[in-house]
Amino acid sequence: MEYKIVVPPLGESVVEGTIVKWLKAEGEKVKVDEPLVEIMTDKINIEIPSPYEGTMIKHLSPADTVVEIGAEIAIMEVEGEAIKTKAFQTTAEDGKEHIPGEQETARPSEEFVGTTAHHEKMGIHADKEAIDSGIKAVKSSPIVRRLAREHFIDLRLVHGTGRDGRVSKEDVINYINARHTIDKKKPDFIWPDTEVEEVIPITGVRKVISEHMTKAAFTIPHVTTFDDCDMSDLVAWRRKYVDRIEAEHGVRITYMPFFVKAVIHAAKKFPWINATFDGDNLRVKKNFNIGFAVARENSLIVPVVRNCEQKSILQIAMEMKELGEKANADKLDIKDIQGGTFTITNAGMFGATASTPIIAHPQVAILGVHKITDKPVARDGEIVIRPILNFGLSFDHRVIDGGYAVQFLRKMIEYLEEPESWLIGVI
Amino acid sequence: MKKTSYIEAITETLFEEMERDERVFLIGEDIGVYGGVFKATKGLLDRFGPERVIDSPISEVYIAGGSVGAAMVGMKPVPEIQFADFITPAMDQLIQQAAKMRYRTGGQWTCPMTVRVCCGGDVGGGLYHSQINEQWFFSQPGLIVVMPATPYDAKGLLRSAIRGDDPVIYFEHKRLYRWIKEDLPEEDFTVPIGKAAVRKEGSDLTILSYGLMYHRSLQAAESLDKKGISAEVIDLRTLRPWDMETIMESVKKTSRALLVQEGSKTGGVMAEISATITEEVFDYLDAPITRVCGIDVPAIPFAPPMEHFFLPNADKIVTAATRLMEY
């Protein structure tokens, strides 16, 4: 019997996705829960597990097609009664809302370990050339050659214990088991001495980042402008209140919420900064959903604080703290990373004094925040030491002119240099 | 349950089947008054009389030909060939008539007969009382060939053979007659034709054999266990049609096959099985298929050291298995 495969719900407010690639070819046998297709949503890509055991008959939508939730994308042939997966249920057994996504697919189940898809995902399989060379170079039996092909093994890497160093079936199985152990505690895989390079396939979230960056960098004509901000007053203000705020509200306030507010203030005069551009229309946003980049172990993610124009500095600080914790725990929901209108990235926390950030497409500007450094500056003809922060603002030169961007940045800095003029009314 | 030897199992079955079905009769050399040279038919003449337990002249062609004729007209003959060594005069009747009857009459005629053939060495019998020639019949479509290794199978396979509609060559190994005893259930049971028995499960290699060689293989497997080699031991039981499924599943699991056969190596049952394993599950093999067989000389020698040199035994099987594992 034939069954249609439909795009399952991919998270709140997600209405469509793009097919990145089919993981099961037409005619291929498929087990329940094996990944069928990779679909990319806004920033997370999801491998859709097979709801049935059977054979992939036809792909109805090729790679790179945009598909809506619920769209029929493939036909599978299922023998007998269809075995259904639980992967599509939107309410988990504990009664909580459950969204299939990165967290589920990133951690392979025990039975998934060892499959082709898994090895591809883990990036530890040999390529065809290496497999064939290994088979030619090593004395091996039919079952060993079969296992080498099935499990993507370069037999030259397997220690042979048979007569004259022959690789036996047991040797290969030991190698596979050892490799699985490594899989489970990745990424400390040790390459043999014969390897002169380490090949890391760019997949998953990293792949999406790569694609987004390429698109942004080569679609948007970037220009970055720099300007110094004298942080004396704000540093003094923060120093005075930081402990008290923490004691009362449980959040150790950073400068980031102040930058958010400064952006909003400056954008009142230069509204085009807070916008998206699709090549035809500039959509100037009336709300400020500010993304802030969070560096994780092996990737980057940009949670969004929504409607900052309606929130106090304290509220923004608390939300940033919460989103940052979720990001580090890999618990962000897809809604947490969507709908940004402007982005702030802080390379200063790692020590940078300048950087030229890439705009988060389709936004039109990004603010780079750098280290506050005590520097000698001239004030009233005297050299004094002041805490200086060098801001970098990258902007989309198709829609934002240089003068506009420079003035926006200057306006923002003026606010930050005179916090007392607006802080009282806000906090 | 009753402790029963291999030969007692055969005698009992003959009694039971003759009681059960009056069409069943016996014919053979010395089977009546003398009770058979190995006493397999002892007491049957007294019970069933000379019309159903026929002492034949020393003529295997008559024993076989008479049985074919009787089978064609509705009887169920169970002829005995006293020694497999002397079966050649019966070959024309068995191969040209019995094996082809159903086929050449388009199923209108059948030839339901069970030829009991006493075979095998390791008894000091010399050239003409030790032969085992199952491969001649194994290669003949139209025949069923069985060789039980245990009293249970001796009984169960003999029942299946007599109750069936086709000619069966039933090889009984004379070395097993009184050596092997087993508790047998009282109730009526049969052993299906064409089904091998996995007697011992193992993971490292499959040892396949039948008849006396099954016991040698099991003995070898126990020694191998002590060396840390886990052998799966399969008793083929039916040689034709042989149980391809059980054997292929086992070889797929272990990736190594050791085939043990009492008769001389060339053109034997294990040559055929070896070729089939290569055809069917080549991709699963981790070492060459290995055979331990009788050697290619015209017959089993009489001198005891030479007889032992000819025959496979547990030591030879262990040596071959060890080499196979080291491959």
Side-chain angles (χ1 to χ4, degrees):
Chain A
M1 172 144 190
E2 288 186 351
Y3 285 83
K4 298 260 171 59
I5 302 297
V6 299
V7 181
L10 300 173
E12 204 181 309
S13 81
V14 177
V15 293
E16 63 180 29
T18 306
I19 294 181
V20 178
K21 66 172 172 185
W22 281 97
L23 303 171
K24 289 289 169 189
E26 290 177 359
E28 202 172 335
K29 295 263 184 238
V30 183
K31 287 187 181 146
V32 171
D33 288 346
E34 274 190 323
L36 274 183
V37 60
E38 187 178 330
I39 292 187
M40 180 175 70
T41 64
D42 214 30
K43 197 136 193 176
I44 286 173
N45 62 340
I46 299 171
E47 285 179 359
I48 306 300
S50 174
Y52 309 113
E53 173 159 347
T55 308
M56 172 60 70
I57 300 292
K58 188 163 175 55
H59 299 158
L60 300 174
S61 307
D64 297 328
T65 317
V66 175
V67 289
E68 289 181 1
I69 304 306
E72 293 172 350
I73 54 171
I75 300 171
M76 273 181 69
E77 174 74 34
V78 178
E79 274 179 36
E81 204 168 316
I83 307 165
K84 273 212 99 168
T85 180
K86 288 180 178 171
F88 286 157
Q89 64 186 33
T90 49
T91 308
E93 274 151 23
D94 56 10
K96 287 180 190 154
E97 187 74 3
H98 167 94
I99 297 157
E102 189 191 10
Q103 284 86 347
E104 285 80 17
T105 51
R107 288 188 203 91
S109 66
E110 283 299 311
E111 64 182 313
F112 181 59
V113 168
T115 62
T116 306
H118 174 59
H119 287 302
E120 276 180 357
K121 198 178 182 67
M122 305 311 289
I124 54 172
H125 65 291
D127 60 19
K128 194 181 175 303
E129 203 180 321
I131 296 165
D132 288 344
S133 304
I135 285 170
K136 281 197 187 108
V138 173
K139 273 188 176 179
S140 59
S141 63
I143 184 75
V144 167
R145 295 196 283 276
R146 180 195 180 97
L147 289 170
R149 292 197 177 96
E150 279 178 358
H151 294 269
F152 302 95
I153 293 166
D154 179 346
L155 289 176
R156 289 168 296 189
L157 307 181
V158 181
H159 177 62
T161 61
R163 198 180 298 159
D164 304 327
R166 192 182 147 276
V167 171
S168 71
K169 175 184 171 187
E170 194 183 6
D171 295 333
V172 179
I173 287 168
N174 288 342
Y175 177 84
I176 293 167
N177 288 339
R179 196 166 69 167
H180 287 178
T181 315
I182 292 160
D183 287 3
K184 284 169 198 158
K185 58 176 172 100
K186 57 140 192 169
D188 50 342
F189 181 67
I190 299 153
W191 286 86
D193 297 340
T194 51
E195 294 291 332
V196 293
E197 60 181 13
E198 184 186 0
V199 180
I200 302 169
I202 297 302
T203 57
V205 172
R206 191 76 245 170
K207 175 104 178 152
V208 176
I209 291 172
S210 156
E211 283 162 2
H212 278 218
M213 287 298 175
T214 307
K215 187 175 182 186
F218 294 100
T219 310
I220 304 172
H222 281 69
V223 175
T224 307
T225 176
F226 296 98
D227 202 347
D228 279 344
C229 174
D230 183 341
M231 294 284 284
S232 302
D233 287 359
L234 198 53
V235 167
W237 189 92
R238 179 176 175 273
R239 193 172 289 145
K240 189 171 171 188
Y241 292 104
V242 65
D243 290 336
R244 208 158 96 195
I245 292 170
E246 188 175 18
E248 282 178 28
H249 301 284
V251 56
R252 190 155 186 89
I253 203 155
T254 66
Y255 295 109
M256 282 295 275
F258 295 91
F259 302 152
V260 171
K261 277 298 177 191
V263 166
I264 295 168
H265 281 287
K268 284 176 186 161
K269 284 216 167 61
F270 303 97
W272 286 20
I273 290 290
N274 186 53
T276 60
F277 179 51
D278 59 15
D280 295 319
N281 296 307
L282 181 72
R283 296 170 195 277
V284 178
K285 304 289 182 182
K286 303 297 176 195
N287 56 341
F288 288 79
N289 298 339
I290 307 294
F292 62 105
V294 176
R296 296 191 295 183
E297 195 179 337
N298 205 14
S299 69
L300 177 83
I301 198 147
V302 186
V304 174
V305 182
R306 286 168 191 283
N307 296 100
C308 291
E309 77 284 0
Q310 297 168 21
K311 290 174 181 165
S312 71
I313 283 186
L314 191 58
Q315 276 176 302
I316 293 167
M318 286 168 146
E319 277 193 38
M320 281 186 161
K321 180 175 178 244
E322 192 186 324
L323 287 168
E325 282 164 0
K326 274 169 88 175
N328 283 317
D330 211 6
K331 293 224 166 82
L332 282 177
D333 221 29
I334 196 154
K335 68 176 173 10
D336 294 330
I337 58 169
Q338 285 181 332
T341 59
F342 185 88
T343 301
I344 303 177
T345 178
N346 185 354
M349 62 191 291
F350 302 114
T353 56
S355 66
T356 59
I358 292 177
I359 296 163
H361 186 277
Q363 295 168 28
V364 298
I366 183 167
L367 180 70
V369 177
H370 305 111
K371 190 169 67 169
I372 300 170
T373 315
D374 283 340
K375 279 188 178 167
V377 292
R379 293 284 184 268
D380 304 324
E382 299 282 324
I383 293 175
V384 292
I385 306 295
R386 290 288 170 90
I388 302 296
L389 193 158
N390 173 243
F391 283 107
L393 178 78
S394 294
F395 57 94
D396 184 341
H397 212 342
R398 293 174 300 177
V399 287
I400 310 276
D401 291 333
Y404 194 89
V406 171
Q407 288 179 74
F408 163 81
L409 186 57
R410 185 93 290 272
K411 192 84 199 158
M412 202 198 90
I413 288 170
E414 281 170 11
Y415 278 111
L416 290 171
E417 287 179 340
E418 296 181 335
E420 72 278 7
S421 65
W422 48 279
L423 270 177
I424 299 159
V426 181
I427 199 162
Chain B
M1 300 291 265
K2 198 176 78 175
K3 204 73 152 178
T4 309
S5 71
Y6 186 94
I7 195 164
E8 284 165 355
I10 292 167
T11 310
E12 272 181 24
T13 310
L14 292 173
F15 263 102
E16 290 159 8
E17 292 306 304
M18 288 178 79
E19 292 280 11
R20 188 174 176 274
D21 186 344
E22 61 179 16
R23 294 174 300 168
V24 177
F25 75 95
L26 312 182
I27 181 169
E29 297 159 10
D30 299 325
I31 64 162
V33 177
Y34 190 67
V37 287
F38 291 99
K39 304 296 176 192
T41 51
K42 191 182 171 189
L44 285 155
L45 177 67
D46 291 345
R47 171 68 187 83
F48 297 104
E51 290 202 337
R52 294 184 71 193
V53 182
I54 302 168
D55 267 323
S56 76
I58 304 176
S59 171
E60 280 77 11
V61 66
Y62 162 70
I63 295 168
S67 296
V68 169
M72 285 177 67
V73 295
M75 301 297 283
K76 290 211 149 189
V78 184
E80 177 186 302
I81 302 295
Q82 199 174 77
F83 288 94
D85 314 55
F86 308 128
I87 202 168
T88 35
M91 291 299 275
D92 182 60
Q93 290 297 321
L94 297 176
I95 303 298
Q96 300 305 338
Q97 308 303 329
K100 297 177 173 70
M101 191 60 65
R102 183 194 279 277
Y103 183 72
R104 72 177 171 134
T105 64
Q108 293 181 67
W109 294 80
T110 57
C111 195
M113 58 191 277
T114 302
V115 188
R116 290 178 44 241
V117 184
C118 171
C119 71
D122 201 20
V123 290
L127 271 67
Y128 292 108
H129 293 84
S130 305
Q131 291 177 32
I132 186 162
N133 41 36
E134 76 285 1
Q135 69 264 40
W136 298 343
F137 304 94
F138 172 74
S139 61
Q140 178 55 54
L143 294 179
I144 289 167
V145 184
V146 300
M147 192 182 298
T150 65
Y152 184 93
D153 284 353
K155 186 162 247 190
L157 283 170
L158 189 53
R159 280 176 176 156
S160 293
I162 292 172
R163 294 174 194 181
D165 284 333
D166 288 292
V168 178
I169 314 297
Y170 179 95
F171 280 96
E172 45 195 64
H173 201 292
K174 62 177 87 73
R175 180 70 180 80
L176 298 176
Y177 274 159
R178 290 178 173 81
W179 178 41
I180 304 290
K181 282 196 167 70
E182 194 177 4
D183 280 327
L184 295 187
E186 302 280 353
E187 66 268 21
D188 187 71
F189 65 89
T190 58
V191 169
I193 301 284
K195 193 81 194 112
V198 179
R199 302 283 192 194
K200 174 184 174 297
E201 295 206 355
S203 55
D204 293 335
L205 81 160
T206 298
I207 305 180
L208 178 63
S209 59
Y210 51 89
L212 175 64
M213 289 302 117
Y214 153 64
H215 296 279
R216 303 296 183 227
S217 301
L218 190 64
Q219 213 182 327
E222 282 158 6
S223 303
L224 289 166
D225 269 341
K226 292 187 189 114
K227 298 172 79 172
I229 296 170
S230 162
E232 180 145 301
V233 180
I234 298 179
D235 175 6
L236 205 51
R237 305 202 286 191
T238 298
L239 310 185
R240 179 180 189 97
W242 59 283
D243 184 353
M244 200 190 287
E245 190 185 341
T246 298
I247 290 156
M248 296 311 158
E249 280 312 305
S250 177
V251 174
K252 276 163 84 173
K253 179 175 78 174
T254 63
S255 295
R256 285 173 159 87
L258 181 64
L259 314 180
V260 184
Q261 165 191 302
E262 181 176 333
S264 48
K265 190 171 190 175
T266 301
V269 170
M270 290 309 179
E272 172 63 26
I273 292 179
S274 169
T276 310
I277 290 172
T278 310
E279 284 173 348
E280 296 292 324
V281 294
F282 178 76
D283 268 0
Y284 289 88
L285 290 174
D286 197 27
I289 300 165
T290 303
R291 283 177 292 165
V292 179
C293 300
I295 55 178
D296 277 337
V297 292
I300 293 186
F302 180 62
M306 292 304 287
E307 181 174 26
H308 290 134
F309 177 69
F310 176 92
L311 286 170
N313 59 31
D315 285 346
K316 291 179 190 177
I317 297 167
V318 168
T319 304
T322 310
R323 280 185 62 80
L324 188 54
M325 292 311 298
E326 286 166 357
Y327 179 80

